[in-house]
Amino acid sequence: MTADTKRIKVTLVRSLSGRIKAHQACARGLGLRRMHHTVEVIDTPENRGMVNKIHYLLRVEEA
């Protein structure tokens, strides 16, 4: 990974309880553990796919 690798900041703003198991797995796959937890992930098609799938639970910012 180089210094110019594009990254996005993802914050979990809604709870995972009662959500579809696949959506919970996407949040875990992004590294989100609890409410208001923020992680920085590399902007890849795989990560974008997970973000798009659970967009209603997240706040996404360019890092």
Side-chain angles (χ1 to χ4, degrees):
M1 176 171 60
T2 61
D4 61 344
T5 303
K6 193 154 164 79
R7 300 178 77 78
I8 52 175
K9 282 173 78 171
V10 183
T11 305
L12 186 65
V13 294
R14 298 191 64 191
S15 174
L16 290 175
S17 1
R19 304 295 177 191
I20 298 169
K21 293 288 183 197
H23 291 198
Q24 291 178 11
C26 284
R28 298 283 180 244
L30 288 167
L32 297 166
R33 298 174 183 269
R34 61 192 167 277
M35 290 275 298
H36 308 293
H37 186 211
T38 301
V39 294
E40 241 182 59
V41 295
I42 300 170
D43 192 6
T44 62
E46 295 83 4
N47 286 339
R48 276 290 178 176
M50 287 191 279
V51 167
N52 289 339
K53 189 168 190 174
I54 59 171
H55 65 91
Y56 65 98
L57 299 172
L58 306 174
R59 182 180 338 119
V60 181
E61 306 164 25
E62 299 297 322

